[in-house]
Amino acid sequence: LAVVVTGYSAAYLAGLVAATSDAGILLQAQVITQPPTIMFTAGMVYFFARVMARHQELIEENEQVAMQANANGHRFRSLVEALPGVILTSTPEGGIRYASPQLEPLFGFGLDDVNGDWASIVARVVHPDDQEQLAAVMMAGVANSTPFSHECRAVTPSGETIWIQLHSVLVDDGSPDAPVWQTLIFDVTERHSLTEQLTHQAFHDALTGLPNRLLFDDRVNHALERSRRDLLQTAVCFVDL
């Protein structure tokens, strides 16, 4: 770009040439007698060149941010799908917005197979004898906006009874759909069975399978506490076999 200007010192023009060249424009200035408005034109050219250069930088930065967001999203999906449990995202009103793919392998149905709310999932999955207690725990957590955990029995499509553990926490990340409840559901049947076995071994004789002294002491203490609370009398009968 060749621009003719007038009335300016050589040092000033040299600085203008150097600054304008940084924006990708080659400016050659000659000191001759021309209208001073040409200098304004050169300044405008330099300004718009800088604007276009910054615009290109922003485009490249946005592309990098988008690529990073896509990579983070892929890693998050991989993490969710690798978890040995179900992830549910729900509204405070109980509407399910997201269910991880593990829902179907564990319970035999997907989110599209229910009405898309917690009530439908509880009615379909949770053991009938445990539904009322779970509902009370969930209602208390939602009312107070506090995290809650609960263990209960669930029934699989094959009719098998398993134990599940729920962990729920209210998340408010400032997004338009916040706050939401994030719930993790794990199959803890194996752990629960192991706990029952250990408890049975602790309170029963390994050889005969009969209750041992620890279980006797435990039952006596419970009876004494109940008698003190209810103003009853407790008696122990000893039979020598």
Side-chain angles (χ1 to χ4, degrees), residues 7 15 26 37 72 103 131 179 181 187 206 212 224:
L26 178 61
T37 56
N72 292 339
L103 178 66
Q131 292 183 9
W181 283 94
D187 182 355
N212 58 18
L224 293 174

Side-chain angles (χ1 to χ4, degrees), residues 87-100 111 116-118 121 175-182:
I87 297 180
L88 294 177
T89 302
S90 59
T91 65
E93 293 77 23
I96 305 296
R97 292 185 174 177
Y98 171 78
S100 63
L111 187 59
D117 54 38
W118 262 110
I121 293 181
S175 59
D177 57 349
V180 294
W181 283 94
Q182 297 287 1

Side-chain angles (χ1 to χ4, degrees), residues 13-198:
L13 293 176
L16 177 63
V17 171
T20 310
S21 298
D22 291 340
I25 300 176
L26 178 61
L27 179 63
Q28 296 178 345
Q30 297 178 353
V31 183
I32 59 176
T33 304
Q34 292 291 341
T37 56
I38 296 181
M39 187 60 188
F40 173 78
T41 302
M44 292 300 296
V45 170
Y46 168 72
F47 171 76
F48 284 114
R50 297 297 296 176
V51 170
M52 293 302 297
R54 180 55 182 161
H55 179 69
Q56 183 62 32
E57 292 175 358
L58 292 176
I59 292 177
E60 294 176 356
E61 291 176 2
N62 289 336
E63 290 177 350
Q64 293 178 358
V65 171
M67 292 176 60
Q68 185 64 33
N70 291 333
N72 292 339
H74 179 72
R75 284 194 293 269
F76 177 76
R77 286 191 298 271
S78 299
L79 175 62
V80 168
E81 295 175 359
L83 284 175
V86 179
I87 297 180
L88 294 177
T89 302
S90 59
T91 65
E93 293 77 23
I96 305 296
R97 292 185 174 177
Y98 171 78
S100 63
Q102 290 86 339
L103 178 66
E104 187 169 356
L106 183 59
F107 299 120
F109 64 90
L111 187 59
D112 296 336
D113 299 326
V114 294
N115 294 332
D117 54 38
W118 262 110
S120 300
I121 293 181
V122 170
R124 185 164 181 171
V125 171
V126 179
H127 192 283
D129 294 340
D130 295 351
Q131 292 183 9
E132 184 176 353
Q133 186 178 9
L134 174 60
V137 172
M138 295 178 63
M139 290 177 61
V142 172
N144 299 318
S145 299
T146 56
F148 61 89
S149 298
H150 186 68
E151 282 191 12
C152 62
R153 291 168 294 176
V155 181
T156 65
S158 62
E160 178 187 5
T161 298
I162 63 174
W163 282 89
I164 59 174
Q165 187 177 60
L166 300 90
H167 300 277
S168 294
V169 62
L170 186 64
V171 178
D172 188 353
D173 56 2
S175 59
D177 57 349
V180 294
W181 283 94
Q182 297 287 1
T183 303
L184 299 178
I185 304 177
F186 296 100
D187 182 355
V188 293
T189 304
E190 183 176 354
R191 191 200 69 188
H192 203 273
S193 299
L194 180 60
T195 301
E196 290 182 345
Q197 293 176 11
L198 293 175

